[in-house]
Amino acid sequence: MTKTIVVLGGAYAGVGVAHRLLKYTKPQVKDLKVILVSQNSHFFWNLASVRAVVPGVLKEEQYSQPIEKGFAKFPADSFEFIVGSAEGVDVIDKTVKISTKDGERVLNYDHLVLATGTRAVNKTVPWKTNSTYEETVALISEIQNKIKNAKHIVVAGAGATGCEVAAEIAFEYGKEKEVILLSGDSELLGGDSLASNVAGELKKLGVQIRKSARVADSHQLPDGKIEVVLQNGEKLTTDVYLPTMGMAPNTEYLPADLLTDKKFVDIDEFYRAKGTKDVWAAGDIVWKPRGSFVISDKQAAGVAKNIDLVLKGKQPVPVKTLPMDVLMVATGRSRGAGRLGSVKVFSIMVYMIKGKTLGIQSLPGYIDGSAF
């Protein structure tokens, strides 16, 4: 009898779980079938989104490739790819309601993997895949054109994404464009120990940093410029406004009793949704301890392993991610700032590990499964 694993989400965690199950579990569990559901037809390497918005630096195929081609080697009785979005989950009947361009589908599952991640609250920026492949590519192209023609750019939000966006633009254009980074807090990165290091790197690039400058509102003026209003009442007029603050979990389709008070999936040590036996979660949708590419990959590996164990009649094991908190911030295409736990690392190391490519060389391996 077929064992069906439904994986919701076509990004780092979801694709990672699907490939691992097909690569390592399917040869031993012959009746296994994996159904991968993704809102997006393409895998968007959003780590590179901060560089993709800069005109002429990256080609589209370097940060976005079709998901389905990577699974073409698997027969239809082993794998199915559906472009659609989850609309509801019934953990009693073990069904998922999916909305597709051809109408509604109801999928039955033996195990369900929740990996639908998070989205940017502001839909005018591409830091996450808020929409379809076509819409994401069009949005990036639109921002590229705006940046190309701009003299003044405001980046709001001084977390890692905001710092990296400001750095990428300043690295490319130098003094040609005025780049302002607004931090709602009194320090960058929410006061992380790397704050002063990142601030120093940004200042070398010419980025103007405004601390304790939280945005209250923004709107377009009649001449096409953007007016950014701060909470203290100050108004900034700019050619391009790029907000980076605010992420929300994509969990609206889930029963409330599966979620934390912040609407992330509530999991146990096995990364199983609490109160269930066959619903698992990985990636930003759990935000444990926070969103991270490396952490998502570790979680995906752990969930795939546990499903493998359960299918073989064994007990799942606690999922281990990283032994320490790691933070690396790329500041353009030559330097960066980072730490391993409390130990800071050299700028050149951050460049080599992250900033040089932002990981885009790994995209083909994620698509075809050779990365796992």
Side-chain angles (χ1 to χ4, degrees):
M1 186 175 178
T2 302
K3 295 291 185 183
T4 302
I5 316 297
V6 174
V7 181
L8 302 178
Y12 303 104
V15 169
V17 170
H19 266 304
R20 286 179 172 97
L21 288 172
L22 290 164
K23 188 173 185 177
Y24 300 111
T25 305
K26 174 65 177 176
Q28 299 167 37
V29 183
K30 301 298 184 182
D31 56 355
L32 180 71
K33 180 174 183 179
V34 176
I35 302 176
L36 177 61
V37 180
S38 173
Q39 175 182 290
N40 206 304
S41 62
H42 285 53
F43 190 117
F44 177 52
W45 196 266
N46 76 300
L47 275 173
S49 62
V50 298
R51 188 167 293 168
V53 298
V54 180
V57 179
L58 293 179
K59 297 178 181 179
E60 180 190 321
E61 60 269 22
Q62 290 181 286
Y63 60 81
S64 183
Q65 291 187 18
I67 295 170
E68 193 167 18
K69 72 172 186 179
F71 292 88
K73 55 183 173 287
F74 300 109
D77 62 352
S78 298
F79 177 78
E80 181 180 1
F81 180 62
I82 301 173
V83 178
S85 56
E87 299 296 332
V89 170
D90 188 324
V91 297
I92 304 300
D93 291 340
K94 301 178 72 168
T95 59
V96 183
K97 187 185 296 183
I98 304 295
S99 175
T100 75
K101 65 180 180 61
D102 297 320
E104 184 179 285
R105 287 186 61 179
V106 176
L107 306 176
N108 295 287
Y109 67 83
D110 291 288
H111 289 271
L112 175 65
V113 179
L114 309 173
T116 46
T118 56
R119 65 182 180 277
V121 173
N122 191 310
K123 295 183 179 181
T124 65
V125 287
W127 321 131
K128 292 280 188 177
T129 48
N130 285 15
S131 53
T132 65
Y133 155 70
E134 292 81 7
E135 290 168 334
T136 300
V137 169
L139 178 58
I140 289 174
S141 178
E142 179 185 346
I143 293 174
Q144 287 176 344
N145 289 331
K146 288 180 178 179
I147 290 175
K148 181 179 180 180
N149 297 317
K151 290 296 183 183
H152 188 281
I153 299 165
V154 170
V155 179
T161 300
C163 292
E164 290 184 344
V165 171
E168 290 291 336
I169 297 171
F171 181 91
E172 179 68 14
Y173 291 103
K175 295 181 180 180
E176 287 182 41
K177 303 181 189 295
E178 188 175 359
V179 181
I180 314 292
L181 176 64
L182 304 178
S183 172
D185 298 322
S186 58
E187 294 295 338
L188 306 186
L189 303 172
D192 189 272
S193 60
L194 279 183
S196 61
N197 302 73
V198 173
E201 295 291 343
L202 291 173
K203 288 175 181 176
K204 290 176 187 176
L205 293 170
V207 175
Q208 298 178 39
I209 300 171
R210 298 280 305 275
K211 299 177 182 178
S212 299
R214 193 172 297 278
V215 175
D217 189 23
S218 66
H219 54 268
Q220 189 169 16
L221 298 172
D223 62 359
K225 292 183 181 293
I226 305 296
E227 185 174 75
V228 181
V229 183
L230 304 184
Q231 283 189 349
N232 64 6
E234 183 183 354
K235 297 178 181 179
L236 303 175
T237 301
T238 187
D239 298 315
V240 179
Y241 173 56
L242 299 172
T244 65
M245 61 285 190
M247 294 291 172
N250 295 316
T251 56
E252 290 83 358
Y253 63 93
L254 292 171
D257 57 0
L258 296 187
L259 307 179
T260 67
D261 57 346
K262 294 184 178 179
K263 306 302 182 185
F264 292 96
V265 177
D266 196 10
I267 53 170
D268 60 20
E269 61 183 330
F270 310 112
Y271 277 67
R272 193 165 43 190
K274 288 184 178 178
T276 74
K277 291 184 177 180
D278 41 40
V279 179
W280 313 79
D284 286 4
I285 197 172
V286 302
W287 207 262
K288 186 177 181 179
R290 57 184 172 83
S292 159
F293 159 66
V294 177
I295 293 173
S296 290
D297 186 61
K298 295 285 188 182
Q299 292 170 348
V303 166
K305 179 181 179 179
N306 278 340
I307 293 174
D308 178 275
L309 289 170
V310 172
L311 288 173
K312 295 172 181 175
K314 300 177 181 179
Q315 292 298 311
V317 297
V319 174
K320 296 180 180 180
T321 54
L322 295 176
M324 65 185 74
D325 184 38
V326 177
L327 179 60
M328 294 197 179
V329 181
T331 52
R333 303 197 298 278
S334 66
R335 294 179 63 82
R339 59 172 176 75
L340 302 175
S342 60
V343 180
K344 294 181 181 179
V345 298
F346 291 115
S347 176
I348 188 65
M349 287 181 62
V350 180
Y351 164 70
M352 294 302 296
I353 294 170
K354 184 180 183 183
K356 185 177 181 179
T357 65
L358 296 178
I360 58 174
Q361 76 281 359
S362 299
L363 176 57
Y366 262 73
I367 295 292
D368 65 21
S370 59
F372 310 110

